[in-house]
C-alpha cells in the first residue's frame, strides 16, 4: 500500500473539554459541514463522559467514535477505570493509547501502554499508539532512539497481523503552537515506518497509517498531508472549534485523489 491508497484520517482529540450541551452544539455545526465527506475518515475522541451522547448523534453518519484511553483489564475491582469492552459497548471503533499527556502527567510506562494496546486489540478496537520525543531528547540528538524504544516496547508480543495506527506527536509541539516542520515530521514518520518493517514485515508496515500530531491547524494541515509517510493528523486544540475541524476535514478530502 502506498500513501495514495492508505485512507486519510483526521482525529479530533477533545481531551478534557465540553459538557453535554456544548458537545451537542458542536455536532450540529460539524455534522452539517462534513455531510458530503466520504473519502476521508473522520474520528471524534470525546472524554469518556460524552462517548454515549456523541455516539448517539453520529450513529447514522460516517463519523467514527474513539476513546482517549482505556485500562487493560476486562473487568474487576479497578475503581475509576474503563475497559476495552466498555468502550466497544458504547460504539467506539478507535482508542488513543499512550498519549504524551498520559505518559507525562499520569506516569504511563511503555509496559503499561503495551498492555493497553493488547487489550484494545483483543476487544476489536483499533488503537492509535502515540509516540514522540521531548525537546530535550531532540536537542540531544536522541529522537530516533526514543521513537524506536517507545515503538518496540509498545508493540512487543503483538502479532504482525494486528491492526493499529501510530501517531507521531513530538511532545514539544503539543499544545504549544509550535508545530514540527513538515520535513521533520516526515523524517520521523519515515523512520517509524522503517522500524515497523523490521517488527512487522514489509507488507504490514506499508499498511500502517501514521498520523502527525502537535499544533496542527487549518493553515498547516496540508503541508503535513503532502508528506509521503503521513496519512492524517491527530488534532487537539484546533479540533475544539467545529468550523475549523470541519475545514480541516474538507481540506483533506480535496487532497484525496478520487
Ligand atoms: P494540539 O494537541 O493539536 O493541541 O497540539 C495534539 C494532541 O495532543 O493530540
Amino acid at each position: 500500500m502506498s500513501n495514495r491508497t492508505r485512507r486519510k484520517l483526521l482525529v479530533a482529540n477533545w481531551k478534557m473539554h465540553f459538557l453535554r450541551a456544548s458537545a451537542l452544539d458542536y455536532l450540529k455545526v460539524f455534522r452539517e459541514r462534513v455531510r458530503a465527506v466520504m473519502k476521508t475518515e473522520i474520528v471524534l475522541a470525546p472524554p469518556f463522559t460524552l462517548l454515549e451522547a456523541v455516539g448517539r448523534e453520529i450513529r447514522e453518519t460516517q463519523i467514527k467514535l474513539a476513546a482517549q484511553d482505556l485500562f487493560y483489564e476486562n473487568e474487576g475491582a479497578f475503581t475509576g477505570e474503563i475497559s476495552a469492552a466498555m468502550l466497544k459497548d458504547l460504539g467506539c471503533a478507535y482508542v488513543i493509547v499512550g498519549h504524551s499527556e498520559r505518559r507525562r502527567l499520569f506516569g504511563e510506562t511503555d509496559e503499561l501502554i503495551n498492555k493497553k494496546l493488547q487489550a484494545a486489540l483483543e476487544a476489536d478496537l483499533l488503537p492509535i499508539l502515540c509516540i514522540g520525543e521531548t525537546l530535550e531528547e531532540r536537542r540531544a540528538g536522541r529522537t530516533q532512539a526514543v521513537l524506536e524504544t517507545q515503538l518496540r516496547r509498545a508493540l512487543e508480543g503483538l502479532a504482525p497481523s494486528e491492526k493499529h495506527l501510530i501517531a507521531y506527536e513530538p511532545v514539544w509541539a503539543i499544545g504549544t503552537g509550535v508545530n514540527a516542520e513538515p520535513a521533520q515530521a516526515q523524517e520521523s514518520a519515515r523512520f517509524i515506518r522503517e522500524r515497523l518493517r523490521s517488527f512487522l514485515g514489509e507488507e504490514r508496515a506499508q499498511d500502517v497509517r501514521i498520523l502527525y500530531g502537535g499544533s496542527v491547524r487549518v493553515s498547516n494541515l496540508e503541508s503535513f498531508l503532502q508528506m509521503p509517510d503521513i496519512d492524517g493528523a491527530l488534532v487537539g486544540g484546533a479540533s475544539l472549534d467545529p468550523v475549523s475541524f470541519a475545514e480541516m476535514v474538507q481540506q483533506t478530502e480535496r487532497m484525496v485523489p478520487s
Side-chain angles (χ1 to χ4, degrees):
M1 227 181 248
S2 73
N3 67 320
R4 292 178 74 85
T5 44
R6 288 189 297 266
R7 191 167 178 214
K8 293 266 184 287
L9 171 86
L10 284 193
V11 184
N13 178 7
W14 286 2
K15 306 192 180 182
M16 199 173 74
H17 290 282
F18 296 139
L19 301 176
R20 204 189 315 240
S22 43
L24 295 181
D25 287 346
Y26 180 110
L27 289 172
K28 257 187 225 131
V29 175
F30 183 69
R31 271 191 323 203
E32 192 51 40
R33 286 173 185 253
V34 301
R35 195 181 292 278
V37 170
M38 288 300 157
K39 293 174 288 186
T40 302
E41 203 170 344
I42 311 167
V43 179
L44 298 180
F48 288 134
T49 49
L50 292 172
L51 284 173
E52 182 155 30
V54 171
R56 198 178 309 119
E57 293 297 312
I58 62 176
R59 193 174 299 147
E60 307 290 319
T61 74
Q62 80 284 35
I63 304 167
K64 294 183 180 149
L65 193 63
Q68 298 174 14
D69 186 28
L70 78 163
F71 188 56
Y72 59 81
E73 292 285 357
N74 213 32
E75 59 177 22
F78 304 103
T79 303
E81 294 299 323
I82 308 281
S83 74
M86 291 169 179
L87 298 177
K88 193 72 194 166
D89 193 42
L90 284 172
C92 288
Y94 289 88
V95 59
I96 298 171
V97 180
H99 190 280
S100 70
E101 284 151 18
R102 300 230 42 99
R103 294 178 190 255
R104 187 167 49 87
L105 302 171
F106 303 99
E108 293 205 2
T109 61
D110 290 320
E111 290 65 32
L112 178 72
I113 290 162
N114 174 258
K115 285 184 179 174
K116 290 186 171 190
L117 213 60
Q118 309 240 20
L121 290 166
E122 270 163 39
D124 206 21
L125 285 169
L126 267 170
I128 302 171
L129 167 66
C130 302
I131 59 175
E133 81 287 0
T134 62
L135 192 55
E136 210 177 24
E137 289 161 342
R138 174 164 283 271
R139 285 187 176 146
R142 297 186 47 235
T143 299
Q144 294 194 341
V146 169
L147 296 179
E148 151 107 39
T149 306
Q150 290 180 343
L151 201 58
R152 183 169 32 77
R153 291 191 180 153
L155 299 182
E156 205 168 306
L158 249 68
S161 57
E162 304 269 37
K163 282 202 170 172
H164 60 268
L165 294 84
I166 309 287
Y168 169 58
E169 297 210 303
V171 178
W172 47 272
I174 297 177
T176 59
V178 182
N179 55 280
E181 287 304 317
Q184 283 177 322
Q186 163 58 22
E187 195 186 340
S188 291
R190 189 199 50 75
F191 174 76
I192 290 166
R193 200 176 299 287
E194 183 193 300
R195 298 319 300 144
L196 289 174
R197 262 186 208 110
S198 75
F199 301 144
L200 311 172
E202 170 70 27
E203 206 176 311
R204 278 289 298 123
Q206 277 304 109
D207 227 45
V208 174
R209 285 181 291 175
I210 301 177
L211 313 178
Y212 167 75
S215 298
V216 174
R217 47 191 175 266
V218 170
S219 57
N220 64 21
L221 174 68
E222 268 188 80
S223 58
F224 289 106
L225 295 181
Q226 274 157 0
M227 298 293 128
D229 284 294
I230 297 177
D231 307 304
L234 181 50
V235 188
S239 78
L240 298 177
D241 172 7
V243 176
S244 291
F245 192 57
E247 172 58 26
M248 290 186 192
V249 170
Q250 284 154 4
Q251 267 185 15
T252 310
E253 187 78 351
R254 286 194 293 271
M255 291 178 76
V256 179
S258 36

